[in-house]
């Protein structure tokens, strides 16, 4: 007890407060730390940095959740009407910004700030297109859909993971209107943004005749045959102190593993910046592995990407 109390006192001098003596012993025998990425290894202050719309690339300036900043064409060309892309960013969204302060999810806040930079009056738009139903975001399906009554139509606005919504889409929006989906182009742009350590969201729409919409049925049945509108690349920079903490853990013989729901390429890019070295494994690859195979490889894996909660439990049990 005296030894643990001395350890607790020394830790307090380093601004680490321990309430239970036994926790000092637990910390002393720690060999692996499994950490989430967003808000733990990164600052969790999302800012939209890049867009892909109408087959063109755009860059976004400005920081945080204010409206200061601009959307510009990456090649210096003219700026098209971005409303078709910004409407889903605002309406498939449960957060709000008040006086540059975010109320809600940081990723959604980045989308709202993007829309404000694009000249959207967010409050007016949400009143003009009232929500009548929604499919909330869930880690199992990785997208959110919001249903809005406009005249004799119901507009479905969707935001979510590109790899998931690509499977639910059949068309894409072009300057000439809706055309057949060119899946390879979207995959290439998604990987380009993810390689730059950005979290990538795809925005999509669907129009349903109001007479054919029944909010009492399974709403997931409407989240098919979508039209992809654009991609948004959102940056969440690593915490400056996280790299030092990871290096210190390494010196102490403690492995650090990043476990995240983000895209494989994005997670790998952030891990490289933080000094995490090792393999990158996705949740679907975990599903295909037996316990013994995972146990044999797990010491060499530094990043687990695209994981669900049940994957996290399995990882910890194998460790």
């Amino acid at each position: 007890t005296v030894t643990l109390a001395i350890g607790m006192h020394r830790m307090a001098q380093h601004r680490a407060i321990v309430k239970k003596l036994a926790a000092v012993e637990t910390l002393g025998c720690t060999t692996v730390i499994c950490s989430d990425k967003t808000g733990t290894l990164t600052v969790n202050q999302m800012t939209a940095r890049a867009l892909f719309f109408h087959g063109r690339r755009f860059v976004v300036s400005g920081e945080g959740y204010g409206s200061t900043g601009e959307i510009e064409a990456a090649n210096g060309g003219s700026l098209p009407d971005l409303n078709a892309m910004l409407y889903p960013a605002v309406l498939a969204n449960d957060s709000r910004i008040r006086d540059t302060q975010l109320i809600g999810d940081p990723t959604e806040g980045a989308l709202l700030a993007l829309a404000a930079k694009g000249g959207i009056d967010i409050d007016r738009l949400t009143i003009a297109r009232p929500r009548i139903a929604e499919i909330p975001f869930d880690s199992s399906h990785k997208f959110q859909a919001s249903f809005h009554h406009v005249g004799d139509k119901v507009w479905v606005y969707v935001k979510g993971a590109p790899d998931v919504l690509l499977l639910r889409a059949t068309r894409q929006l072009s300057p000439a209107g809706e055309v057949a989906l060119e899946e390879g182009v979207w995959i290439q742009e998604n990987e380009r943004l993810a390689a730059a350590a950005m979290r990538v969201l795809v925005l999509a729409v669907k129009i349903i005749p109001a007479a054919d919409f029944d909010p009492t049925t399974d709403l997931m049945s409407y989240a098919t045959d979508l039209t992809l509108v654009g991609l948004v690349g959102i940056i969440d920079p690593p915490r400056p102190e996280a790299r030092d903490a990871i290096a210190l853990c390494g010196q102490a013989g403690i492995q650090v593993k990043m476990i995240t729901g983000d895209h494989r390429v994005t997670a790998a890019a952030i891990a490289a910046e933080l000094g995490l070295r090792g393999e990158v494994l996705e949740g679907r690859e975990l599903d295909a592995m037996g316990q013994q195979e995972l146990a044999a490889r797990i010491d060499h894996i530094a990043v687990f990407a695209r994981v669900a909660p049940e994957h996290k439990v399995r990882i910890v049990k194998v460790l």
Side-chain angles (χ1 to χ4, degrees):
T1 302
V2 172
T3 303
L4 294 179
I6 291 171
M8 188 167 124
H9 177 69
R10 287 179 178 174
M11 289 173 68
Q13 292 175 332
H14 292 279
R15 300 175 68 186
I17 305 301
V18 179
K19 292 184 178 180
K20 295 183 179 179
L21 285 177
V24 177
E25 186 176 14
T26 301
L27 184 62
C29 64
T30 297
T31 56
V32 181
I33 295 175
C34 295
S35 174
D36 184 27
K37 179 181 75 66
T38 304
T40 307
L41 298 176
T42 60
V43 298
N44 201 23
Q45 293 180 353
M46 301 291 199
T47 303
R49 276 279 171 267
L51 306 179
F52 178 69
F53 176 66
H54 280 182
R56 297 173 59 194
R57 297 171 181 173
F58 301 86
V59 294
V60 187
S61 60
E63 299 288 341
Y65 302 119
S67 59
T68 303
E70 294 182 346
I71 304 172
E72 299 177 333
N75 60 4
S78 60
L79 200 66
D81 184 348
L82 295 170
N83 285 356
M85 183 167 187
L86 299 179
Y87 279 18
V90 172
L91 296 171
N93 198 313
D94 293 323
S95 301
R96 285 294 173 263
I97 296 173
R98 292 288 179 264
D99 299 323
T100 73
Q101 297 298 309
L102 173 66
I103 305 168
D105 178 76
T107 300
E108 293 190 333
L111 294 177
L112 293 175
L114 170 68
K117 293 171 186 176
I120 298 295
D121 186 326
I122 294 172
D123 291 334
R124 180 177 294 179
L125 179 61
T126 52
I127 292 172
R129 301 199 170 204
R131 179 185 291 184
I132 58 174
E134 70 167 325
I135 301 173
F137 178 85
D138 188 88
S139 59
S140 62
H141 54 247
K142 291 185 171 63
F143 71 86
Q144 176 186 4
S146 184
F147 298 78
H148 299 260
H149 199 175
V150 183
D152 60 350
K153 302 285 194 300
V154 171
W155 283 72
V156 188
Y157 296 107
V158 187
K159 76 169 188 298
D163 52 339
V164 172
L165 292 184
L166 270 170
L167 299 176
R168 293 178 170 270
T170 57
R171 296 178 302 280
Q172 66 188 47
L173 190 64
S174 75
E178 294 187 5
V179 296
L181 181 66
E182 298 178 36
E183 187 174 334
V185 174
W186 293 84
I187 292 173
Q188 180 181 350
E189 286 299 314
N190 177 35
E191 292 180 349
R192 181 184 68 85
L193 294 172
M198 295 188 193
R199 170 179 290 182
V200 187
L201 290 177
V202 67
L203 301 171
V205 298
K206 182 177 181 178
I207 304 175
I208 307 168
D212 296 340
F213 179 70
D214 182 1
T216 64
T217 62
D218 179 15
L219 295 178
M220 292 293 283
S221 63
Y222 294 111
T224 58
D225 199 26
L226 300 175
T227 299
L228 298 190
V229 176
L231 294 172
V232 182
I234 300 171
I235 192 72
D236 182 18
R239 288 185 181 275
E241 64 272 24
R243 184 182 179 89
D244 294 337
I246 289 170
L248 196 60
C249 285
Q251 293 172 20
I254 301 172
Q255 293 184 51
V256 178
K257 299 186 184 298
M258 177 198 293
I259 304 179
T260 176
D262 272 4
H263 188 275
R264 180 191 198 111
V265 181
T266 306
I270 292 290
E273 290 190 42
L274 291 169
L276 288 174
R277 300 287 181 265
E279 297 178 39
V280 181
L281 205 70
E282 285 191 337
R284 57 185 176 81
E285 295 173 289
L286 271 175
D287 292 334
M289 295 173 66
Q291 290 294 93
Q292 291 185 341
E293 183 185 358
L294 179 58
R297 289 182 57 188
I298 200 162
D299 283 341
H300 305 289
I301 301 169
V303 179
F304 293 90
R306 276 285 183 257
V307 295
E310 57 268 24
H311 292 134
K312 297 180 181 181
V313 174
R314 186 183 175 200
I315 291 165
V316 172
K317 284 184 176 179
V318 169
L319 286 167

